[in-house]
Amino acid sequence: MKGSPIKPSERIITLDVIRGFALLGILLVNMPAFHSPDFIHQLYAIDVGYEGLDAIIYAFLQLFVQVKFFTIFSFLFGVGFYLFMKRAESKGLKMRSLFFRRAFILLIIGLLHLIFLWFGDILHLYAVGGFLLLAFYNRMPKTLIKWAFSLLAIYLALLSITFFIPVDMMDELGLGNADDVLPTYIYMYESAPYLEWLAYRVKVEVIPILLNIPFTLIPVFAFFLFGLYAGKKGIFENADCAPFIKKVQIVTGSLSIPFVICLFLLLQGLWDVGVYKSSATDLFKNLSGFSLCFFYMATLTRLLQLDTWKKRLGWLQFVGRMALTNYLAQTFICFILFNGFNLYNHVSLTLGTAIAIVIFIAQVIWSKAWFRFFQFGPMEWLWRILTYGHSSPLKRQPKAS
């Protein structure tokens, strides 16, 4: 029996809207790394020293965007995994082998994206986590929640290890002088030929990122499990789950307030923790990221239950329906814009943020226009063909009279 991809009529619009919303957040977070040496800034905990409007935008991104959206994407991957497996199972297909093939294709796409274009790829990490997720498909929902919270606890504990290192040892654990690395990094992005740039990136960015997968996968996989839990419970399909969603919104919103306040105090230098500032900032950035992730999703889900907000937010579903295409397109657009037109390291945070918003608006318009004629995004269509082993009609079928 041949497999078939999800039909547009089978989609859950709420998930597409949330996915579209997450794509905007991802682009806003990624934009500084597209146009500036943000990789080195983060690696060496360099304080860029933003001023004026740049400082305001930086604070906003750190408080309300950073870490809040890759977690949403991770959660949605877990939900999507469950829906894929359930539908394949209901059709009598070999669901595990199908998903393994699907994840393997995603891994190839992610590695190509990571190696040849941009260090910030998340697809390869999702693919690796997807292989592991197969072992949890038949687990009970309570087991999934226990695993998810345990993984987050482990991750936060690992982030907190530096607090137990004596002050006089902190300087000895530094990565070195960024002044020795930054000029070369900027030169490679500004002026080096592509092959030289690629060879440099493989050594400086790609290999360290691949070696760091066991650590970076921990929170991602935790949110996979949260998403799998939500899929098993039918949270986005079952109207009876509305009280639970409201409870999640209230609890996570309340938890977010002290986390965001602490992060704000650290960013503004109003809470002095000395040499532990970078570690404390990372900790509260993640704590607020985890709680606000759930708050954002719960809030959007509740708003979409209202007809007025369905109309106001409905345009996000088109971007979300072709999330893979739009995610990769963001990289291609920014790579050509900043590297092809010699704008790298010559764009302010404010201008970069404005460019991100313009790009996203263009993707909204393009995505909506695309779905007037086609059923799937181009990369989604290719992914489905490679997964199921046979072609699916790309063009929309005319409605029967």
Side-chain angles (χ1 to χ4, degrees), residues 18-58:
I18 295 174
R19 194 176 288 111
F21 176 67
L23 267 173
L24 172 59
I26 290 290
L27 181 56
L28 290 173
V29 168
N30 290 343
M31 184 55 71
F34 283 131
H35 65 67
S36 301
D38 195 56
F39 180 83
I40 301 298
H41 293 160
Q42 292 188 34
L43 184 63
Y44 288 87
I46 298 173
D47 185 359
V48 181
Y50 292 113
E51 296 179 353
L53 186 55
D54 279 356
I56 295 173
I57 291 175
Y58 175 76

Side-chain angles (χ1 to χ4, degrees), residues 362-383:
Q363 288 189 311
V364 169
I365 296 170
W366 178 66
S367 299
K368 188 172 182 179
W370 177 272
F371 282 113
R372 290 179 60 189
F373 305 100
F374 303 101
Q375 298 189 81
F376 313 107
M379 286 302 300
E380 286 74 12
W381 180 64
L382 177 62
W383 194 15

Side-chain angles (χ1 to χ4, degrees), residues 194-226:
Y194 177 78
L195 291 179
E196 184 182 354
W197 172 80
L198 180 61
Y200 175 81
R201 281 193 58 253
V202 169
K203 180 178 67 174
V204 174
E205 296 176 347
V206 176
I207 292 177
I209 285 170
L210 292 177
L211 292 175
N212 203 39
I213 284 179
F215 178 71
T216 53
L217 186 59
I218 296 174
V220 168
F221 195 74
F223 277 86
F224 280 6
L225 295 177
F226 283 127

